[in-house]
Amino acid sequence: MAELRKIISDAERVTNNETIIEQHSQDLTYHSPYPPEVVVYPKDKNEVHQVITFAYQHNVPIVPFGVGSSVEGHVIPIHGGISLDMTLMDKIVDIRPQEFSVKVQPGVTREQLNRKLKSYGLFFPVDPGANASIGGMVATNASGTNAVRYGTMNNQVLGLEVVLADGSLMKTGGISAKSSAGYHLTNLFIGSEGTLGVFTEIILKLYGIPEKTVSAKAVFSTVEQASETAVNIISAGLSIGRIELVDEHTITAVNAYRDTNFAEKPTLFLEFSGMEHWIEKDVALGKSLIEDFDCIDFVFESDPLKRTELWEARHQAVFAIQAKYPGQKPMSTDVCVPISVLPEAIENARKTISDNGIEGAIFGHVGDGNYHVVFMVDPQSQEEIERAEKINHDIVRFAIKNGGTCTGEHGIGIGKIDYLQEEQGSAYHLMKVIKHAIDSKNILNPGKIFN
Amino acid sequence: MAELRKIISDAERVTNNETIIEQHSQDLTYHSPYPPEVVVYPKDKNEVHQVITFAYQHNVPIVPFGVGSSVEGHVIPIHGGISLDMTLMDKIVDIRPQEFSVKVQPGVTREQLNRKLKSYGLFFPVDPGANASIGGMVATNASGTNAVRYGTMNNQVLGLEVVLADGSLMKTGGISAKSSAGYHLTNLFIGSEGTLGVFTEIILKLYGIPEKTVSAKAVFSTVEQASETAVNIISAGLSIGRIELVDEHTITAVNAYRDTNFAEKPTLFLEFSGMEHWIEKDVALGKSLIEDFDCIDFVFESDPLKRTELWEARHQAVFAIQAKYPGQKPMSTDVCVPISVLPEAIENARKTISDNGIEGAIFGHVGDGNYHVVFMVDPQSQEEIERAEKINHDIVRFAIKNGGTCTGEHGIGIGKIDYLQEEQGSAYHLMKVIKHAIDSKNILNPGKIFN
């Protein structure tokens, strides 16, 4: 700490205050906490450079920390060292409306950015649910409900400024819309979970806010019908912005939690967006496609407040489960399977959690085959943790066996290292080669992605 | 050759036939040819594995070859060795319409793939102009006229099967629509120009063929008005599939070549595509936006044959220049600049080539700021080559100074190595670290991207 305070003299920004240490020892989930030795809040790239240079010289682990909303233990400093909290680096540096791009510091949050962009008629589409920091979203290759239209973070970053393990500063990409200039280092750093470098600036693509947005909800008898309908709607080329599936048991839990009376059946939540003159007919065409699949009920809504109400059961899915188990912490599976496998995968997942006597929410980004099973775990109970891991294990195994991946959007962290190896085979070995080539001392977020 | 024929006994597939050697010693451009010692045509991944294992053991350079349509000397074996012609590996392995994906071998061409996909109502959108092989398109991160809607190859590849420098086989990514499982090796190999591995299978994203496509052409007084109009049309959220700019001098050359009488003014070529009920009003809105910028003439066309006619001047731009200089070979610049800089960049480029007494075509992917200056060079004349390189130098310098890149879609090859270093700074160093970590013997396409 004494050495670090030579770099950053402001005592509040180099601290081992108990509350702050505790905050930086955990994430939102059941993963066991472990404290950093010190929490450092850099204010600019030069401080990041100096702190990491110090850490490199003294072999001290560096664990970047955004808002702490990741869910695979990414921010837990399992080998101690420095938790590098990036939240003071929260400047929106340069908005370029004509280029549809913005340069931000990593501590800027998604909602902060979109509030600022609104007056330009622009927005940044990736929406993982949480009000995550942009730096954290890049680090985990976040996506969420908008990915069916806009893709993942992997498609949204034009350039990065990164401090490497030895403290040196490097820029990748730039402000032009595309480039074929050498290897795509930008994409190598996206999803690297703090193990290859610490971001100090991020250049993002932006999009025009759609002229019109309409939400809709369609209730089906079976998950299979709902999934097939989703594929058909996407195939048709309609202006779908989001398309989400919630299973019947989850709707039941929401009804109990909110005292609502949504039909307790598999439900698709949809959003159409685009030019105003596209939408009316797109919704009508969507409705007719949906009716071909024995839809029980279809409603749509364009008023912003009522649109939110319509999506209520989707938004409340996790809270409905959380509320019933105070003191416990959530676990979320995150497999992504080929879309044709999704109905069977969801059915299989529901059976797995029922067989284990667990109550959980299941909801899927049905446009891309990524779905989550969220359930609560007592982090003090080894038995419960083991049961949770067994459930995850079965769900991941099903996904990998069917050509899927253990993580669609949450990343590996400490929770999925074994699966990464199983799923990626010799590619896992090459990832380790690259990690070693870029961070030979293994000081950047050690123990994440790799053991 | 004797050793290679132990691997591949079919003499026609391991050859030093003079014509075949010559074909594999050059690309389409002014770059100096250099012959491989042998050309090998593998038929499957096992043969690729064996050939590369042999090359690794004996330190023989391996230069992958598709259809040879790249333009920066990528396929020229400047250090001799084996030209690995992938054209016999041309199977479309697995079409998954419900997943919007297809698995192909690298020798499949873009047009071959799209012919096959048509009956499924699907298509692969990346269109670099040439009927390139998919393997080559991945290797150079190709894009082209569709990139404004669909992005580049960097956004289109779900997974790869790659033979590494030591002959080992590795898979990256997979068939699920997204993944956050470790580093994005897929994106590292996209645009690696044969320097990190040889592709044996490629999994691509697919898209539904738009229900309706309309082409349009708008003539302006100045390049600036045309560029600003393009930005406004894209901002408006209209269903633009392509938007291309051709400068007035290029139209003049086309008129002389084809005896046509297109207005010799900066011209925007547009394509609207999407649901039928979107298009009519989108075109009308586009027209009104265009008229705000003193458009001289606006026409649109939905009949497929007449659409092609409408784009005639755009399609003929390069041929118009080529036809005037028989025996010479083309050079194409490929900078990409922030879109707001594009009018000035094009004006500057036109001045540069005029000052050097050169006649060239200028056309731009105005939606992404990437534009080409194409002119003919006598490959026997050192003076002409030096003049061409000086022109390229001035155009690249302008781009880099204004936040752009030396290559939007053609790649580095042998032609832009110095600029890569200048543009990417310390990122260039990290690229070399990665190259060395993955191909320590430097047998994979040596002398490309790096000296």
Side-chain angles (χ1 to χ4, degrees), chain B residues 34-45:
Chain B
Y34 196 97
E37 286 156 69
V38 56
V39 180
V40 176
Y41 295 83
K43 268 194 170 164
D44 58 39
K45 67 183 79 171

Side-chain angles (χ1 to χ4, degrees), chain A residues 96 98-100 140-144 147 152 154-155 164 169-185 187-193 195-196 205 208 228 231 234-239 275 277-278 281-282 285 336-341 365 368 370 402-412 420 423-424 426-427 430-431 433-435 437-438 449-450, chain B residues 96 98-100 140-144 147 152 154-155 164 169-185 187-193 195-196 205 208 228 231 234-239 275 277-278 281-282 285 336-341 365 368 370 402-412 420 423-424 426-427 430-431 433-435 437-438 449-450:
Chain A
R96 301 175 71 101
Q98 208 176 14
E99 257 90 68
F100 300 92
T140 55
N141 185 29
S143 50
T152 70
N154 197 25
N155 310 119
L164 299 175
L169 198 74
M170 185 189 75
K171 288 189 186 206
T172 72
I175 54 172
S176 55
K178 65 183 194 186
S179 175
S180 283
Y183 303 154
H184 292 134
L185 297 183
N187 291 95
L188 183 63
F189 282 89
I190 297 169
S192 64
E193 305 186 9
T195 66
L196 295 179
K205 290 188 205 171
E228 277 184 31
V231 171
I234 296 165
S235 305
L238 303 176
S239 51
M275 301 298 289
H277 64 275
W278 301 357
K281 194 156 178 194
D282 275 13
L285 284 169
C336 186
V337 294
I339 295 162
S340 61
V341 181
H365 307 314
D368 46 36
N370 181 210
N402 287 281
T405 174
C406 64
T407 172
E409 58 186 15
H410 293 168
I412 300 298
L420 178 64
E423 177 188 321
Q424 295 288 315
S426 51
L430 191 66
M431 291 178 197
V433 167
I434 290 170
K435 164 71 175 176
I438 300 183
I449 303 184
F450 314 102
Chain B
R96 301 174 70 100
Q98 208 175 15
E99 257 91 68
F100 300 92
T140 55
N141 185 28
S143 49
T152 69
N154 197 25
N155 310 120
L164 298 176
L169 197 76
M170 185 188 76
K171 288 189 187 207
T172 72
I175 54 172
S176 56
K178 65 183 194 186
S179 174
S180 282
Y183 302 154
H184 292 134
L185 297 183
N187 291 96
L188 182 63
F189 282 90
I190 297 169
S192 64
E193 304 186 9
T195 65
L196 296 179
K205 291 188 204 172
E228 277 183 32
V231 171
I234 296 165
S235 305
L238 303 177
S239 51
M275 301 298 290
H277 63 274
W278 300 359
K281 194 156 178 193
D282 275 14
L285 284 169
C336 186
V337 295
I339 295 162
S340 60
V341 180
H365 307 315
D368 45 37
N370 181 209
N402 286 282
T405 174
C406 63
T407 173
E409 57 187 15
H410 293 169
I412 299 299
L420 178 64
E423 178 189 321
Q424 294 288 315
S426 50
L430 191 65
M431 291 178 198
V433 168
I434 290 170
K435 164 71 175 177
I438 300 183
I449 303 184
F450 314 102

Side-chain angles (χ1 to χ4, degrees), chain B residues 115-429:
Chain B
R115 272 196 307 273
K116 180 78 178 180
L117 293 173
K118 201 170 179 183
S119 62
Y120 298 86
L122 296 169
F123 81 121
F124 180 68
V126 180
D127 177 2
N131 185 20
S133 70
I134 299 296
M137 288 170 66
V138 176
T140 55
N141 185 28
S143 49
T145 50
N146 267 329
V148 62
R149 163 86 65 95
Y150 297 96
T152 69
M153 289 302 287
N154 197 25
N155 310 120
Q156 306 301 345
V157 186
L158 292 171
L160 293 169
E161 186 183 70
V162 185
V163 177
L164 298 176
D166 63 359
S168 63
L169 197 76
M170 185 188 76
K171 288 189 187 207
T172 72
I175 54 172
S176 56
K178 65 183 194 186
S179 174
S180 282
Y183 302 154
H184 292 134
L185 297 183
T186 303
N187 291 96
L188 182 63
F189 282 90
I190 297 169
S192 64
E193 304 186 9
T195 65
L196 296 179
V198 175
F199 311 136
T200 49
E201 271 180 4
I202 297 156
I203 305 170
L204 298 171
K205 291 188 204 172
L206 299 176
Y207 297 82
I209 296 173
E211 192 179 39
K212 175 91 174 177
T213 300
V214 169
S215 295
K217 196 172 77 167
V219 178
F220 295 86
S221 299
T222 67
V223 164
E224 193 148 14
Q225 285 169 340
S227 298
E228 277 183 32
T229 304
V231 171
N232 274 277
I233 286 175
I234 296 165
S235 305
L238 303 177
S239 51
I240 288 294
R242 310 183 199 240
I243 186 162
E244 298 277 306
L245 173 67
V246 177
D247 92 333
E248 62 272 34
H249 302 274
T250 308
I251 305 269
T252 304
V254 170
N255 280 342
Y257 171 52
R258 299 281 285 188
D259 202 19
T260 46
N261 59 351
F262 298 118
E264 294 177 356
K265 295 278 182 186
T267 303
L268 278 186
F269 294 84
L270 302 100
E271 198 175 86
F272 297 80
S273 61
M275 301 298 290
E276 185 152 10
H277 63 274
W278 300 359
I279 299 301
E280 193 180 338
K281 194 156 178 193
D282 275 14
V283 173
L285 284 169
K287 185 166 186 268
S288 74
L289 280 168
I290 282 168
E291 282 163 354
D292 287 348
F293 282 87
D294 290 330
C295 171
I296 297 167
D297 186 34
F298 180 81
V299 285
F300 61 94
E301 185 57 70
S302 58
D303 176 80
L305 271 180
K306 289 187 178 157
R307 269 169 35 210
T308 308
E309 272 173 37
L310 197 67
W311 273 64
E312 171 87 359
R314 168 65 182 83
H315 290 314
Q316 298 296 333
V318 173
F319 304 122
I321 298 298
Q322 282 186 327
K324 286 184 75 170
Y325 301 89
Q328 298 200 7
K329 293 187 88 176
M331 164 159 193
S332 173
T333 72
D334 179 41
V335 299
C336 186
V337 295
I339 295 162
S340 60
V341 180
L342 191 68
E344 193 190 341
I346 289 181
E347 195 182 334
N348 183 71
R350 177 56 68 191
K351 185 171 179 309
T352 302
I353 59 171
S354 300
D355 287 354
N356 283 279
I358 292 270
E359 187 183 29
I362 299 187
F363 46 93
H365 307 315
V366 69
D368 45 37
N370 181 209
Y371 72 94
H372 307 296
V373 182
V374 180
F375 53 94
M376 303 306 291
V377 177
D378 176 358
Q380 309 301 327
S381 160
Q382 193 53 37
E383 192 194 330
E384 282 208 16
I385 290 175
E386 277 169 23
R387 184 169 59 174
E389 284 171 352
K390 187 183 170 305
I391 290 171
N392 187 38
H393 184 82
D394 291 349
I395 288 171
V396 169
R397 269 293 160 75
F398 181 91
I400 294 178
K401 204 179 70 188
N402 286 282
T405 174
C406 63
T407 173
E409 57 187 15
H410 293 169
I412 299 299
I414 54 177
K416 301 210 189 79
I417 295 174
D418 292 344
Y419 301 124
L420 178 64
Q421 198 160 359
E422 180 180 338
E423 178 189 321
Q424 294 288 315
S426 50
Y428 177 79
H429 172 71

